[in-house]
Amino acid sequence: MSQLVNDSVNESVNKSVNEPVSMKAFRQLEGIVAPMLIDNVDTDQIIPSREMKRVSKTGLGQGLFAGWRYTYDGGKKTGDNTNFVLNRPEYRAADILLSGKNFGCGSSREHAVWALKDYGFRVLIAESFGRIFRNNCARNGLLAIALPAETIAALEAQTRIDPEARRVLVDLEANVLRGPDGSTFAFEIAESDRHMLLNGLDYIDFTLRFEADIDRFVEADRLARPWAHR
Amino acid sequence: MSKTLFDKIWDSHVVKKLEDGSELVYLDRVFLHERTGSVALNSLAEAGRKVRNPAQVFATMDHIIDTFPGRGDTTLVPGGEAFIKTMRRTATEAGITLFDIGDARHGITHLISAEQGITLPGLIVACPDSHTCTLGALGAVGWGIGTSDCEHAIATETLRTGKPGQLRVRFDGRLGRGVTAKDMVLHLIARHSASGAAGLALEYAGPAVEALDMEARFTLCNMAVEFGAFTGLIAPDAKTLAYVESRPYAPGGDALEQARRAWRELRSDEGAVFDREIAIDCADIAPTVTWGTSPQDAVEVTGAVPALDRYPGGESRAEFLSTLDYMGLEPDQALLGLKLDAAFIGSCTNSRLSDLRAAARILDGNKVASGLRAVCTPGSQQVKQAAEAEGLDRVFLEAGFEWREPGCSLCFNAGGEGFGTGERVISSTNRNFRGRQGRGARTHLASPATVAASAVAGCIADVRAAQVRTASR
């Protein structure tokens, strides 16, 4: 579980399947890093389409990496695949996922982000991300950080032995990561995404800050284009 | 300063320019369907939010419902009934207008949005479906959005996005016999690639576009997204106004007078600057079919699969060979005479009354080839009723076509139905992607007339050589 390093991080990582995907302020998080250092993890792998049959964004954590995470017999789940990284005891409470190039490529399904969040991830670190997937992260309060391969390798090396004790600090206020050995790595994200995350604004809340502007626009437009309004 | 048609619509909808360079853009209409709309409305309610203006939000059922005669809420889509029932419940709770199955106004979202006069010239419309650009035929701006954007749209009446660059495509000259809007757009994409308009707002212009009737214009705009465009649109003219003015949700009285004045301004000014311009001579366009697994893999029907040293730009030799392996074709192979297993007429691209009439003229007095499965799904109840009033259903049925209820149907496994592995299908739809019409199914995109002529021949056929009964029925 994440250690609370700042009052504003009032997040206890909740692996419950019924918790709505909600937006909470993200300032700092010290968490366990799970390494998945492969390239091109596509959204079909993050959540296969057979796992997204619910009329809901919630409860999708169960389907996260379903093809890799469970064992199957003739298409039927038989149990956990104990070799899969997230099933290893030291990574069961991971908050931060570390991956390679082009994480989240492929289908635009937003379910990939909902599944990662519902499972309990708050931060993704990868060399690069699929474009639509990265937009979807920002809209759902998941922090996606792109870093060079050598930084990712360094973080992996620092956390490999005893990841629970060797946590990584993600500081969005300072735009810096701090490894367990004290080394720091600067990162950049889009300013609008950063603003939304720091203030716990979700995508809609962010726009509703301009609700008065919308009201004024609609009022004036109703006079200018009465035929267009209902 | 000279403005394009797109500038005029877009700029008049900007609520606010934001610091990060994006713009908050006002939406006039949002159209939902049961696959994404159900999730968006559910999620909005769970978050304790409301639809900001329910009067501007509409919904239909098309992506999951099946299209068998006598259908109800059951569908071959696993778990699909929950989407249908949730759409119905959440639409009622949110107070939005739902065109449910059984309603005489029901049909595919982009068809009924136009038929009902919900989308009008000059409006901005959004829908969680990539073919929302279809509505650009009315001189409106429409584009497809994801689930988060969909919630944002109905909660705020806006979207946050950047203004796209612009492209004008001029079609000059006149269309030859047997050549349709579908052939125009396939020709355009084949010549300039499936990413030729990547991210741009595309205005179709020129005498050949002005000469198209409204239904053909919907087809042309529908496939703008297959060209990679953000949206596609056509300046409204007298045909557009005549189409719009009688529609149930269109304005009347003084409001209509005001609207007409506004609509007459909706054209690109002389000297308006586009980021790119493309010109096509319609004399170069023949009835066109696709051979591969991208809409850019299109050639005239009398043509052939590219030779091994002339595969499409941007593709590697390995990709080309993999495409041919999937399609069961050889380099240089002629398309005329290629044996077919199935034919499909339907989808938001080509399922309107004029499409069905064009196909029926060829099917009348003919039968589909023995062993070939043929399905026709009218795009809306209004299209279906009008077709039946003309006796077109009898023509299709007597020729050996199935006559279905409206919905997205076999375009993409909607309703849980698909064609079989290795089955070769000629289809009036928009995407020939691998597996889209069923796992391993081989899709050839074409106009409804080419689909009908090919269904009768049992193989890919040239509609210009088809025997058409000319005597009136």
Side-chain angles (χ1 to χ4, degrees), chain B residues 76-279:
Chain B
L76 296 169
V77 175
E81 197 168 338
F83 286 81
I84 293 167
K85 291 197 152 75
T86 304
M87 182 75 251
R88 195 172 287 139
R89 175 178 57 76
T90 53
T92 306
E93 285 168 4
I96 67 170
T97 304
L98 169 67
F99 302 105
D100 205 343
I101 47 176
D103 191 312
R105 304 165 298 174
H106 169 257
I108 300 175
T109 160
H110 313 309
L111 271 85
I112 66 176
S113 184
E115 283 174 358
Q116 295 303 316
I118 291 165
T119 297
L120 301 166
L123 298 192
I124 294 191
V125 296
C127 170
D129 184 278
S130 60
H131 291 105
T132 308
C133 52
T134 308
L135 295 159
L138 294 164
V141 169
W143 72 92
I145 53 177
T147 316
S148 281
D149 270 347
C150 193
E151 278 180 63
H152 185 281
I154 58 183
T156 71
E157 292 187 70
T158 66
L159 283 174
R160 287 208 321 266
T161 181
K163 185 179 177 181
Q166 296 180 57
L167 161 69
R168 178 160 58 188
V169 175
R170 278 185 62 89
F171 282 95
D172 292 310
R174 294 178 56 179
L175 294 180
R177 197 169 64 86
V179 181
T180 68
K182 181 63 158 288
D183 305 298
M184 290 165 76
V185 70
L186 286 174
H187 176 91
L188 171 69
I189 298 168
R191 187 165 281 198
H192 294 276
S193 96
S195 57
L200 301 175
L202 184 175
E203 181 181 343
Y204 291 108
V209 173
E210 288 161 22
L212 293 175
D213 64 32
M214 284 309 298
E215 297 199 346
R217 293 180 189 185
F218 286 118
T219 302
L220 195 60
C221 288
N222 173 272
M223 289 190 63
V225 70
E226 263 50 74
F227 193 30
F230 172 82
T231 191
L233 74 170
I234 297 172
D237 59 10
K239 286 181 201 173
T240 321
L241 268 56
Y243 177 94
V244 164
E245 288 181 6
S246 54
R247 307 281 156 179
Y249 285 88
D254 290 347
L256 177 59
E257 269 314 308
Q258 273 180 297
R260 281 184 183 140
R261 283 198 291 278
W263 293 341
R264 283 188 204 109
E265 301 300 315
L266 292 177
R267 56 188 60 255
S268 290
D269 296 330
E270 287 285 329
V273 178
F274 290 80
D275 298 280
R276 280 182 59 206
E277 302 242 21
I278 288 175

